[in-house]
């Protein structure tokens, strides 16, 4: 079942190639979740538990991506999964998913700018953080409004740096594990001893459930492939290839990286440091490790901010294109860029940035909690939308051969993906440090549903008044 793009959709330029799409997705994923959260997960679940948690996370990513792949190839639209949720679940659900995803990336944009400022302070301690925030804010904004191709090229090279670093980390770390590279303090190579030093699951299986949202959040960003579908050349060919290569590389990068980290860092040390990567490089005595990783983390942060502004701007455009926001947000310039939607998203990111400085223990903590909850909620909607889409397609007389890309093992794929995402949300209730995600996230979802029905009723009345006139 192939749907045609709307006239508004055609205003976007299909300038992204497969390499851009793959690197956009990888760039959105390889960021603070991998660089910072992994230490927390090792300290909570143990080395073997962390590997198991990431393997389950990789399974969830694969399930969600193949569901999204079938939807995006059949209907390559900018805004993607919120449009699918509106069409196959309910308009209110689509509206809520869009705002959840917009908030996810807008909050990430603000926190990324703040973190980038702190990275630059490492080299220039006399300069204020806000100055670097302003510089990076302007740079990211310009990357996004010049052209989609310019944005994609910028993200491509941002991501290349991160990917090369991850590969180098896995090779060097494996060398240190097995004694090919000496440890800085002269101690023997740890081999695989740290993986089971505290037992396979020192705190049982519950911590794995508790950390699943953190693991899923580390994998978040893969769904950017769906966001960019409407601006990709030959989406029927590009999307399946991008999904296959992205998921394969993510599993290699994430599982390989986590395996090296867990093998080189004892469980009782993992939670002490900010980034477990820096600790590993210190252990194996790599020269200029702090400078190297400060640069890599800065690149990762700017890449996440770049992807975040792209995603949040397209979400506002898509909401307006679906007539749930004023039509001015759906306007694009002659280069196919929704400038107003991007500008408003950047303002939202700056507000999140200010809140992270002014009220780090209240406003920003609450927004960040909603952000983590929102990613899993969006994945839930993708699995549910795919389940309904396939049923309706077949009920309408369509055949499987008409689908250029099909998710395997239907209906197990969307059902299992949905249940695992739901289980991750349940896990939040067992962790006091993450429980705020439920207290903030659930009321936000209810508020979005209420706001949709209020605005929808108002739009209906306005339309009826116009008809009478």
């Amino acid at each position: 079942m192939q749907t045609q793009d709307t006239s508004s959709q055609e205003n976007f330029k299909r300038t992204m190639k497969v390499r851009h799409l793959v690197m956009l997705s990888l760039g959105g994923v390889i960021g603070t979740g991998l660089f910072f959260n992994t230490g927390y997960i090792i300290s909570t679940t143990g080395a073997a538990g962390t590997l198991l948690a990431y393997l389950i996370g990789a399974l969830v990513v694969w399930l969600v991506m193949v569901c999204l792949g079938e939807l995006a190839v059949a209907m390559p639209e900018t805004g993607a999964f919120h449009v699918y949720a509106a069409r196959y679940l309910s308009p209110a659900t689509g509206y809520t998913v869009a705002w959840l995803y917009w908030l996810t990336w807008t909050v990430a944009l603000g926190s990324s700018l703040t973190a980038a400022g702190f990275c630059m302070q490492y080299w220039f301690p006399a300069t204020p953080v806000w100055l670097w925030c302003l510089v990076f804010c302007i740079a990211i904004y310009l990357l996004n409004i010049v052209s989609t191709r310019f944005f994609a090229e910028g993200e491509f090279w941002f991501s290349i740096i991160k990917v090369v670093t991850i590969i180098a980390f896995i090779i060097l770390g494996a060398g240190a594990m097995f004694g090919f590279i000496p440890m800085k303090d002269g101690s023997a190579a740890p081999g695989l001893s740290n993986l089971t030093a505290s037992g396979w699951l020192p705190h049982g299986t519950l911590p794995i459930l508790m950390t699943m949202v953190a693991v899923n959040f580390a994998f978040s960003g893969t769904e950017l492939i769906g966001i960019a579908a409407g601006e990709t050349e030959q989406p029927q060919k590009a999307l399946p290839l991008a999904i296959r290569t992205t998921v394969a590389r993510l599993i290699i990068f994430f599982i390989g990286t986590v395996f090296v980290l867990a093998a080189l860092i004892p469980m009782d040390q993992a939670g002490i440091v900010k980034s477990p990567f820096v600790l590993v490089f210190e252990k194996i005595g790599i020269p200029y490790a702090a400078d190297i990783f400060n640069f890599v983390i800065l690149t990762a942060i700017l890449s996440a901010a770049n992807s975040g502004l792209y995603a949040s701007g397209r979400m506002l455009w898509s909401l307006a294109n679906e007539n749930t926001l004023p039509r001015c947000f759906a306007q694009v310039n002659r280069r196919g860029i929704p400038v107003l939607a991007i500008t408003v998203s950047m303002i939202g990111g700056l507000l999140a940035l200010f809140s992270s400085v002014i009220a780090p223990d209240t406003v920003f903590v609450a927004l960040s909690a909603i952000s983590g909850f929102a990613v899993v909620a969006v994945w839930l909607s993708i699995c549910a939308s795919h389940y309904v889409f396939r049923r309706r397609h077949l009920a309408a007389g369509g055949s499987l051969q008409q689908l250029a890309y099909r998710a395997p093992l239907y209906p197990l794929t969307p059902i299992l993906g949905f249940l695992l995402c739901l289980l991750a949300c349940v896990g939040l209730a067992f962790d006091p440090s993450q429980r705020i995600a439920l207290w903030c996230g659930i009321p936000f979802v209810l508020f979005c549903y209420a706001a949709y029905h209020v605005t929808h009723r108002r739009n209906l009345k306005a339309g009826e008044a116009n008809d009478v006139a």
Side-chain angles (χ1 to χ4, degrees), residues 282-321:
E282 288 174 351
K283 278 178 173 290
I284 61 180
I286 299 293
Y288 306 108
D291 290 285
I292 292 169
F293 253 85
N294 197 56
F295 173 74
V296 172
I297 291 170
L298 175 64
T299 305
I301 288 165
L302 293 178
S303 172
N306 196 34
S307 299
L309 185 57
Y310 173 86
S312 53
R314 265 51 178 188
M315 271 298 167
L316 283 189
W317 175 90
S318 192
L319 280 168
N321 193 53

Side-chain angles (χ1 to χ4, degrees), residues 30-31 33-36 38-39 42 47 50-51 54 162-171 173-174 177 195 219 249-265 275-278 280-281 293:
I30 301 174
L34 179 61
F35 286 128
F36 292 101
T38 306
I42 292 173
T50 300
L51 282 170
Y54 270 97
K162 290 192 288 187
V163 168
V164 169
T165 303
I166 292 295
I167 293 172
F169 174 81
I170 293 173
I171 294 172
M177 282 168 56
L195 293 176
F219 278 115
R249 290 175 189 180
L250 278 179
I251 291 172
I252 293 169
F253 292 158
F254 270 69
I255 301 304
T257 300
V258 170
F259 181 78
V260 171
L261 286 173
L264 289 175
I265 304 175
S275 173
F277 286 79
V278 175
V280 165
F281 273 123
F293 253 85

Side-chain angles (χ1 to χ4, degrees), residues 67 172 341 419:
C67 290
L172 293 172
L419 291 177

